[in-house]
Structures are given as C-alpha cells and as structure tokens.
Amino acid sequence: MYDTILVPIDGSDPANRAIEHALTHAREYDSTVHAMYVVETNRYGEPALSSTELVIEELEEYGHNLVERLIERADNEGITVEGVCRHGTPHEEILKYADEIDADMIIIGYQGQSHDIEGHIGSTTDSVIRNSTRPVLTA
C-alpha cells in the first residue's frame, strides 16, 4: 500500500514525530523511507559571499548529519532509508522529490524549526498539503 514514504526532516520536534510515524509505517508495510533535508536558499541566497557560503555549508552539514543518523537508526531496525539533501524552497523541493521517487505518502511535521507559534501549522507544511497530489500525514 505504501511502498515509498517521503519524510522531510529538520531536527524539530514535529519532524521527529514524523520520523517515528514514517518508521512505524515502514515496518508495517515493508516500505522504503526517503528522508529529505532542504537547505532553504531562498532565505539565505545561494553561496556567493564568504559569510553566506559558511551558513549554507553549516546547514548542509547539519542536514547530512540528520539524514545519516536516521539511516543508521533505521538500518539497525531493519528498515531501508535513503537520504538526500537539496537546496531551494522547501515545499517546492519536497513536492518535486515526491514526484521523482513516486512517493505513496508524505509524512511531515506540522511545523518546522523556523515556526515558533505552538499549535499553528507551518508554512512549508501548509504548502505541501495544499499542493500535493499524494496523501500527506502531518505529525
């Protein structure tokens, strides 16, 4: 039913809950999970100046570490997780990647790290829900 699950991650509590749901679904349906981190370059710009380049590099490293930790954890649990880090506008990259991997479902935190109003859905999640042609589960 759900062979391919996409879970965008950013280290936030809602994203971590989304990971738990993704792993649970993967166990139940013997699915492959695709973990994705997006460096939000529309916020910082693409690297051109040295300070911007340093910020982008730090975000890339942070994202790669999140993805790698999830892959290691899942491997220990017998779950296949593939990971990717991308640059761009998060909701656009999430939807584009979902199409590339033909995701059966997207599991996403209801808000991310940059959202600080408890109980309100984040703009990235809202855009994914509104524009996805695939089932979206929020955590």
Side-chain angles (χ1 to χ4, degrees), residues 28-127:
E28 183 173 340
Y29 296 107
D30 194 30
S31 309
T32 297
V33 174
H34 290 259
M36 173 181 208
Y37 180 86
V38 180
V39 177
E40 191 173 357
T41 51
N42 64 331
R43 175 179 287 189
Y44 303 104
E46 283 294 340
L49 304 173
S50 59
S51 61
T52 299
E53 189 171 7
L54 290 174
V55 170
I56 298 297
E57 284 177 12
E58 286 178 19
L59 290 169
E60 283 176 345
E61 183 177 340
Y62 176 75
H64 282 292
N65 287 337
L66 286 176
V67 169
E68 286 303 315
R69 282 197 314 256
L70 176 55
I71 290 171
E72 288 174 19
R73 174 186 168 191
D75 189 47
N76 290 334
E77 296 179 28
I79 299 168
T80 302
V81 174
E82 297 180 17
V84 65
C85 290
R86 297 254 177 118
H87 285 208
T89 303
H91 77 273
E92 292 172 359
E93 292 301 318
I94 292 165
L95 294 170
K96 187 179 351 176
Y97 189 57
D99 287 342
E100 288 173 21
I101 63 171
D102 195 22
D104 296 305
M105 176 171 42
I106 300 169
I107 302 178
I108 188 170
Y110 75 96
Q111 60 179 223
Q113 276 192 333
S114 64
H115 201 285
D116 60 358
I117 303 172
E118 189 65 32
H120 286 69
I121 193 165
S123 60
T124 296
T125 300
D126 183 59
S127 292

